[in-house]
Amino acid sequence: MLNENPIPARLKAARKKAKITQKELGVKIGMEESSASGRMNHYEKGRHMPDIGTLRRMAQELNVPLNYFFCDDDLSAELACAIAKLNPEQQTKLLEDLAKQSD
Amino acid sequence: MLNENPIPARLKAARKKAKITQKELGVKIGMEESSASGRMNHYEKGRHMPDIGTLRRMAQELNVPLNYFFCDDDLSAELACAIAKLNPEQQTKLLEDLAKQSD
DNA sequence: CTGTATACTTAGCAATCCTAAGTTTTAACC
DNA sequence: GGTTAAAACTTAGGATTGCTAAGTATACAG
């Protein structure tokens, strides 16, 4: 079975890329100094599930789209980031191209 | 502020496209007849947050990727679906194309 | 070995969800 | 417009899960 919860792997990858610790990330998104380490570690080990607001703050801090955390593999995760950086016109054009391709 | 929870809008769109009721969707993914209507409605109204396992079963039943439920607008949601249908080779090529484009 | 930074674990309380039952809305039909 | 059934929605409380705070383990520099 597929890893049920994709958040741990995504979170770790994006945090490492940003070169910050679990606690630093937690504090940056508004957690208490005293609980940031434990909470962030729970999320990264998959023991607890963060709520949407927390996910959004992490996404913003790590410069990834919210849906990044729910991608099941590295490739689709990178694609999600790349697509989030396109402007709406570019996104529309890409969607049209993909639609043609699948005919 | 952006709608904090994108699930309700995505869930409704995908369910309508599949032309089934809230209860039907719930039963199809293994909920009890007696509670399927209430539970699915909670999710679609944003009152409760489904767990990852439930999200996965909904995604499979509705033929969308898991990250679809966390896209913040229709355009990126459709793109997520289109990309999920590509094979890995096509995905890799697309990622390379997007990387060039952003230089 | 000692001190420090980072990662990880645990347990009880607090917050949230699941269930079951009931209510409201929608839409088709006469 | 009134009737009916299906669909959508709401509520309350017991059950489940997450948050917090405190502690432990590991890695590494001095």
Side-chain angles (χ1 to χ4, degrees), chain B residues 3-103:
Chain B
N3 259 346
E4 175 161 286
N5 177 5
I7 293 177
R10 298 294 144 251
L11 183 53
K12 183 168 189 174
R15 179 180 64 79
K16 288 287 184 188
K17 196 169 176 185
K19 295 200 196 314
I20 56 177
T21 67
Q22 294 174 341
K23 180 175 180 180
E24 276 176 321
L25 178 53
V27 171
K28 275 185 183 231
I29 64 173
M31 291 178 183
E32 297 291 330
E33 282 273 346
S34 61
S35 64
S37 173
R39 284 183 68 183
M40 287 308 306
N41 189 261
H42 282 163
Y43 301 147
E44 205 162 303
K45 298 300 287 184
R47 182 182 299 260
H48 293 325
M49 178 82 176
D51 64 25
I52 292 271
T54 303
L55 281 167
R56 271 199 196 286
R57 287 189 290 277
M58 294 194 298
Q60 182 162 26
E61 188 62 40
L62 296 172
N63 195 33
V64 295
L66 178 64
N67 69 354
Y68 165 88
F69 291 121
F70 296 90
C71 293
D72 280 320
D73 56 84
D74 294 347
L75 190 49
S76 60
E78 287 189 53
L79 277 167
C81 292
I83 285 166
K85 284 170 183 147
L86 300 177
N87 63 44
E89 289 74 28
Q90 292 171 315
Q91 290 184 352
T92 302
K93 181 162 188 319
L94 176 55
L95 185 58
E96 286 166 1
D97 291 349
L98 290 172
K100 283 176 200 163
Q101 201 170 329
S102 70
D103 290 339

Side-chain angles (χ1 to χ4, degrees), chain A residues 37-88:
Chain A
S37 173
R39 283 184 69 183
M40 288 308 306
N41 189 261
H42 282 163
Y43 300 148
E44 205 163 301
K45 298 299 287 185
R47 182 182 298 260
H48 292 326
M49 178 80 177
D51 64 25
I52 291 273
T54 303
L55 281 167
R56 270 199 196 288
R57 287 189 290 278
M58 294 194 298
Q60 182 162 26
E61 189 61 42
L62 296 172
N63 195 33
V64 295
L66 178 65
N67 68 356
Y68 165 87
F69 292 120
F70 296 90
C71 293
D72 280 321
D73 56 85
D74 294 348
L75 190 50
S76 60
E78 287 188 54
L79 277 166
C81 292
I83 285 165
K85 284 168 185 150
L86 300 177
N87 64 43

